[in-house]
Amino acid sequence: MVLGKRLRQLREQAGVSFEDAARAIEVTPLTVRRIEKAEVGLRIPYVKELLRTYGVPASEIDDFLALAREANQPGWWYKYRDVLPEWFSAYVSLESEASVIRLYEPHYVPGLLQTHDYATALMRVGFPNESKEDIERRVTLRLKRQDLLAKPESPAIWAVLEESVLRRPVGGREVMQAQIDRLDEALDLPKVRIQVISLATGAHPGAYGPFHYFRFGFSELPDVVYTESLAGAVYVDQPADVVTYLEVMDRMSVQAEPVARTRAILGKLRKELDE
């Protein structure tokens, strides 16, 4: 996506039309548009010729091509493609590159903060006809995503959870006990914030369903909002639409219990599970 936008900027700076760029690499103007929108892979010969057409110096072309080759490499999650829906692979990619991730979850603990047993219980419900082996691969993929929390350049995670998330029994008492302990431990991570919206809060502007907001460290990448349904997902990147989600997230953060109260809330729920 970053390189596609850079190609568009170089084309516009050079005053080259879609039609002229297409003639340079013997494709249709639509293909050039798709390259710039990251809807197709970056074919190195095409990129090289486009850069020449745009008047980019040879030394800079080599650097750009090195980045293009890197961008074409499959992500670590590629080996899980047998259990990774095509529409969710983009999510894992965005998650891996984000500098800020804000999450609203009304139903379940976010995947980045789930325990093995909690994730397994959810997968068994979501994929009742799959084998134990495939369920375990799905769980392994989910837990592998959590590796980014330990990286020095890890994203800032800000999760807003409904109280019902913490009260909904998933996998039994012991599973929930361990899951609440995991959330408590996550609060010690320097870049993780968790807020809880009390049931007593009542109606609030985000009660339509879960959504996740991504911000990146690249000026070429717009903020993206992810929403999910049973059959797929929608990635929202139009600025006006993203702002709508962000404003709702901000309002919910104000309505939710302060971050300083989260540990006490978790402790109270943990005590109830022990009784």
Side-chain angles (χ1 to χ4, degrees):
M1 291 175 69
V2 171
L3 296 181
K5 291 210 169 188
R6 289 182 181 174
L7 283 173
R8 185 192 69 189
Q9 292 168 355
L10 290 169
R11 178 181 58 77
E12 292 174 345
Q13 289 169 6
V16 177
S17 67
F18 282 116
E19 291 73 18
D20 289 339
R23 278 192 289 271
I25 57 176
E26 299 181 356
V27 298
T28 66
L30 177 60
T31 298
V32 176
R33 291 178 185 272
R34 295 187 68 194
I35 290 173
E36 293 181 357
K37 291 182 178 180
E39 294 176 350
V40 294
L42 294 170
R43 296 184 61 180
I44 300 303
Y46 285 179
V47 174
K48 188 174 185 178
E49 189 57 38
L50 286 174
L51 293 173
R52 286 174 176 170
T53 301
Y54 303 156
V56 177
S59 59
E60 294 181 22
I61 288 178
D62 291 340
D63 291 340
F64 197 106
L65 293 180
L67 292 174
R69 291 187 182 95
E70 182 181 346
N72 283 336
Q73 295 299 312
W76 61 263
W77 54 90
Y78 182 74
K79 65 180 180 180
Y80 295 98
R81 61 192 181 280
D82 57 319
V83 292
L84 181 65
E86 183 176 348
W87 50 264
F88 193 68
S89 62
Y91 180 98
V92 181
S93 178
L94 294 173
E95 182 180 71
S96 299
E97 296 295 337
S99 59
V100 176
I101 303 175
R102 296 183 66 178
L103 314 164
Y104 166 61
E105 285 291 348
H107 305 307
Y108 302 111
V109 172
L112 287 177
L113 301 174
Q114 290 178 8
T115 65
H116 178 279
D117 290 344
Y118 186 96
T120 300
L122 288 180
M123 292 297 182
R124 286 173 178 163
V125 173
F127 303 94
N129 298 319
E130 287 202 352
S131 66
K132 290 183 178 179
E133 292 75 16
D134 283 346
I135 291 293
E136 185 58 32
R137 279 183 60 75
R138 290 183 182 276
V139 172
T140 300
L141 169 61
R142 179 161 296 184
L143 299 183
K144 180 68 175 175
R145 287 166 46 205
Q146 297 178 8
D147 288 350
L148 66 84
L149 297 178
K151 295 180 178 179
E153 68 279 12
S154 65
I157 309 293
W158 187 352
V160 176
L161 313 180
E162 295 282 356
E163 182 183 342
S164 57
V165 168
L166 305 175
R167 293 190 175 277
R168 178 175 288 110
V170 174
R173 180 187 296 268
E174 291 184 359
V175 172
M176 290 304 299
Q177 289 172 330
Q179 181 58 70
I180 288 178
D181 289 344
R182 171 71 180 99
L183 291 174
D184 187 78
E185 293 168 1
L187 291 172
D188 292 327
L189 296 174
K191 292 186 177 181
V192 174
R193 303 176 70 183
I194 301 172
Q195 287 183 273
V196 178
I197 298 182
S198 168
L199 292 173
T201 301
H204 61 76
Y208 296 96
F211 63 91
H212 301 174
Y213 163 89
F214 298 95
R215 174 165 288 175
F216 306 93
F218 306 99
S219 60
E220 295 89 348
L221 278 180
D223 295 352
V224 176
V225 170
Y226 167 89
T227 64
E228 188 176 307
S229 68
L230 286 174
V234 174
Y235 294 87
V236 179
D237 63 0
Q238 293 302 308
D241 296 331
V242 171
V243 166
T244 297
Y245 279 97
L246 189 55
E247 288 177 347
V248 167
M249 182 68 84
D250 287 340
R251 289 167 62 189
M252 286 193 297
S253 298
V254 172
Q255 287 181 271
E257 295 292 324
V259 175
R261 283 267 303 138
T262 301
R263 182 155 270 146
I265 293 171
L266 294 175
K268 179 175 182 296
L269 291 170
R270 184 66 166 81
K271 186 176 180 180
E272 290 176 9
L273 287 169
D274 289 340
E275 294 175 350

